[in-house]
Amino acid sequence: MTKPFTPNDLVRYIYQEMSEVEQELLVQALHSDDSLMQEYIEMLSTIEQMDQIQLQPSEKVVQAIKSRAQSTGLERV
């Protein structure tokens, strides 16, 4: 009987948090289960998109924070 892999298992595989035995079993499952492979590909795509997200605030937000800090008399850091 083949172990049913979950989305959580795919995440563990992507981030290399599985034992070698589990990895081998998952790779075999990916080769034989088209829906599991599709889910894996979608997760990789999502991770790639997340890596492209801008993680810095816009200049407008920075200026609004500075303006608010000045108006409340907070000390400069």
Side-chain angles (χ1 to χ4, degrees), residues 6 15-17 26 31-32 42 46-47 51-53 58 60 65 71-72 76-77:
T6 66
Y15 288 103
Q16 301 174 352
E17 296 176 349
L26 181 59
H31 287 294
S32 63
E42 288 174 9
T46 301
I47 290 168
D51 288 343
Q52 295 174 5
I53 294 174
S58 69
K60 181 178 178 181
I65 291 169
S71 71
T72 59
R76 192 176 181 142
V77 179

Side-chain angles (χ1 to χ4, degrees), residues 9 12-13 15 18 20 24-25 34 39 48 52-54 56 61 65-66 70:
D9 292 322
R12 289 177 50 234
Y13 175 74
Y15 288 103
M18 286 186 150
E20 287 184 36
E24 289 175 22
L25 291 172
D34 289 338
E39 191 167 1
E48 183 178 321
Q52 295 174 5
I53 294 174
Q54 185 178 9
Q56 296 179 347
V61 169
I65 291 169
K66 286 181 177 180
Q70 287 175 348

Side-chain angles (χ1 to χ4, degrees), residues 33-59:
D33 184 339
D34 289 338
S35 64
L36 185 64
M37 178 61 87
Q38 184 61 38
E39 191 167 1
Y40 172 67
I41 291 169
E42 288 174 9
M43 280 189 178
L44 288 177
S45 176
T46 301
I47 290 168
E48 183 178 321
Q49 291 173 12
M50 289 173 59
D51 288 343
Q52 295 174 5
I53 294 174
Q54 185 178 9
L55 298 175
Q56 296 179 347
S58 69
E59 187 61 29

